[in-house]
Amino acid sequence: MSGPGEFELIRDFFAARFQGSAPEAGVVLGIGDDCALLTPPAGKTLATSVDTLVAGVHFPATADPYRIASRALRVNLSDLAAMNAQPLWFTLALTLPESNADWLAGFAEGLADTAKRFDVQLVGGDTTKGPLAITIQVTGACDRPLRRDGASAGDSVFVSNRLGAAAAALPIVLGEVGGSEIQRQQMDASYYFPEPQFTVASAIGGYASAALDISDGLLADLAHICEASGLGAELDLNQVPVAELAQTMSGDQARTVAVTGGDDYQLCFTVPQQHLPALNVLNLPITCIGTMTRERGIRCTLDGEPWTHAQPGYRHF
Ligand SMILES: [Mg+2]
């Protein structure tokens, strides 16, 4: 197995794939020196975020390395989308139990394809020996950042697209159930290729008062907007758009995964009433599901009756 020399090879392996791919993107000096040298776009605010994915916690250790890389970069990019920031650069810290050339080739290919798709540059990294874990730091630029603390009472609460796909996919990801061919494709797309919502974020940028991406589940994440803005919310669960993969469950279960399941990386955001007409004409894939309130806490109704949930939030495995 590996001595330090092998991990230097890994570093070079990534450097070869990513070096010099887009010199126009503010990269004065990329991988290979003590630091990267980067020029921020004039007049923009930088947004930066770091996130670690651990094998056996955030993805199955035996998952396809191409898919692990895709998921790792996409969930980090989702945080940039949630701030309405355009991706610029990222760094990678990779902890590996062993340096397996096939695994690394798959991982690097997944990382390179995803980076190209979202026009983001790898500018530095580090490799260490240990249990498989991936840390990615992303940096982007924004004009109109969407923060969590800007909501006001009376603002409408929206979500993008549909919720519950990743939570519904988890039993298939973990191999607990086989699923049909279509379900396996939906699982693969929702779990390993979640779509950071850059298009929706930039369209709502001028109208939304607060936003975040749904990583831990709608109720858990909306609670962060409530907390940061000093407010509560009322939700009509009949309005929550349920993902197709979750619709194969019973109505109750489907609704529960849609409002409490994590990993969807859709946006949850609030919009002041005066901006609703302008937002409506944009025909975005968004749905109004409730209203921000002065009264703290999140109150849900289903068919006009109060609805309570056992345990909101992310299911660790
Ligand atoms: Mg986030």
Side-chain angles (χ1 to χ4, degrees):
M1 234 325 306
S2 53
E6 280 192 54
F7 281 92
E8 281 162 25
L9 283 177
I10 294 168
R11 187 195 61 200
D12 295 345
F13 187 77
F14 281 101
R17 264 178 194 265
F18 286 93
Q19 230 154 23
S21 43
E24 74 277 9
V27 181
V28 179
L29 189 62
I31 299 169
D33 210 311
D34 296 307
C35 290
L37 296 175
L38 307 165
T39 307
K44 304 257 185 179
T45 302
L46 291 181
T48 192
S49 172
V50 65
D51 200 21
T52 297
L53 277 76
V54 178
V57 179
H58 301 101
F59 59 89
T62 54
D64 169 31
Y66 185 98
R67 284 168 166 71
I68 295 173
S70 163
R71 178 165 155 75
L73 186 50
R74 282 164 181 264
V75 303
N76 275 278
L77 289 170
S78 176
D79 279 325
L80 289 184
M83 294 301 285
N84 191 21
Q86 291 303 309
L88 291 170
W89 315 301
F90 72 104
T91 58
L92 165 74
L94 191 55
T95 305
L96 292 170
E98 56 180 5
S99 68
N100 175 313
D102 286 345
W103 192 95
L104 278 167
F107 184 86
E109 195 188 345
L111 202 66
D113 284 354
T114 311
K116 196 171 165 200
R117 161 85 165 68
F118 293 99
D119 203 13
V120 61
Q121 305 297 314
L122 179 67
V123 294
D126 185 32
T127 52
T128 325
K129 187 176 177 177
L132 179 59
I134 299 140
T135 297
I136 289 177
Q137 181 178 30
V138 286
T139 300
C142 50
D143 290 314
R144 292 173 165 175
L146 289 171
R147 299 160 53 138
R148 299 176 175 194
D149 61 1
S152 299
D155 289 0
S156 291
V157 179
F158 283 82
V159 293
S160 64
N161 295 293
R162 294 178 170 273
L163 304 182
L170 201 51
I172 305 175
V173 172
L174 297 177
E176 291 167 2
V177 299
S180 67
E181 180 56 31
I182 285 175
Q183 285 175 326
R184 281 199 299 275
Q185 283 169 9
Q186 289 173 340
M187 172 282 283
D188 199 48
S190 61
Y191 197 80
Y192 291 114
F193 301 88
E195 191 66 25
Q197 295 295 305
F198 289 110
T199 307
V200 170
S202 82
I204 65 169
Y207 306 114
S209 50
L212 46 62
D213 62 332
I214 302 173
S215 54
D216 295 338
L218 171 64
L219 295 181
D221 286 314
L222 177 58
H224 297 315
I225 290 181
C226 290
E227 183 71 23
S229 299
L231 297 170
E234 283 171 1
L235 300 184
D236 177 358
L237 297 194
N238 294 94
Q239 301 305 317
V240 173
V242 179
E244 198 184 334
L245 192 59
Q247 286 175 14
T248 54
M249 301 168 148
S250 75
D252 230 28
Q253 252 188 320
R255 190 147 14 253
T256 301
V257 299
V259 299
T260 67
D263 286 331
D264 279 322
Y265 301 100
Q266 296 299 331
L267 297 182
C268 175
F269 58 97
T270 59
V271 180
Q273 296 302 307
Q274 72 265 27
H275 292 321
L276 293 180
L279 193 62
N280 283 336
V281 298
L282 297 179
N283 267 324
L284 298 168
I286 59 175
T287 308
C288 180
I289 59 167
T291 310
M292 298 300 289
T293 61
R294 259 178 243 294
E295 191 188 338
R296 298 293 191 102
I298 299 175
R299 290 162 304 284
C300 298
T301 55
L302 181 67
D303 302 326
E305 300 290 322
W307 183 90
T308 50
H309 48 92
Q311 205 193 347
Y314 175 64
R315 175 190 163 188
H316 287 269
F317 65 89

